[in-house]
Amino acid sequence: MLTEINRFRALHGADPVTLDPTISAYSQKWADNCVFEYSPSPREYGESIGQVLPEDIVDGIIRWEKEGENYDYSQNTFDPMTADFTQLVWKATKRIGVGLGTCAGKPGFDGTDLLVVNFDPPGNYSEEFIENVGKPNSA
């Protein structure tokens, strides 16, 4: 999964991120709740969540990547419909944590698990989109 994230970040001119064990523990703790919602605010990290098939967690990352097809580079502003994409490619982010909750069979999960990825430093700050969200192939 880290390879896919860094491959996609490179397409948008962002440096690779590293997997951080402390942030991963934080992500895993939330994922283990099997609640499809963001962790409570205030959050120390940026956060993306998604339901994924246990055998294909990279698919969750690819869905966030595809949000970029709807990102308006002429506006360079926050849009909740592309927030996972912009967090994924946010240039200032250096470390991530990943958690996967085993949720298949629990209410609302219908055979899927909960993927939680936290980002440090977090992204999606107003007035910082131009310098942090690069157009594809701007690396």
Side-chain angles (χ1 to χ4, degrees), residues 67-89:
E67 287 181 9
E69 295 169 5
N70 298 312
Y71 184 71
D72 186 348
Y73 291 92
S74 69
Q75 296 296 312
N76 282 308
T77 58
F78 179 77
D79 179 342
M81 299 305 292
T82 60
D84 294 313
F85 158 73
T86 52
Q87 177 60 86
L88 191 62
V89 300

Side-chain angles (χ1 to χ4, degrees), residues 14-79:
D15 291 335
V17 291
T18 59
L19 191 60
D20 182 275
T22 301
I23 302 171
S24 289
Y26 178 89
S27 300
Q28 188 63 52
K29 184 176 179 181
W30 186 250
D32 287 341
N33 290 319
C34 292
V35 176
F36 189 62
E37 59 187 49
Y38 293 103
S39 60
S41 292
R43 285 187 292 279
E44 184 175 349
Y45 308 113
E47 186 171 73
S48 291
I49 61 172
Q51 288 181 285
V52 296
L53 293 172
E55 65 274 7
D56 193 11
I57 60 174
V58 172
D59 182 60
I61 303 301
I62 292 170
R63 279 185 269 141
W64 297 337
E65 293 172 359
K66 287 184 178 185
E67 287 181 9
E69 295 169 5
N70 298 312
Y71 184 71
D72 186 348
Y73 291 92
S74 69
Q75 296 296 312
N76 282 308
T77 58
F78 179 77
D79 179 342

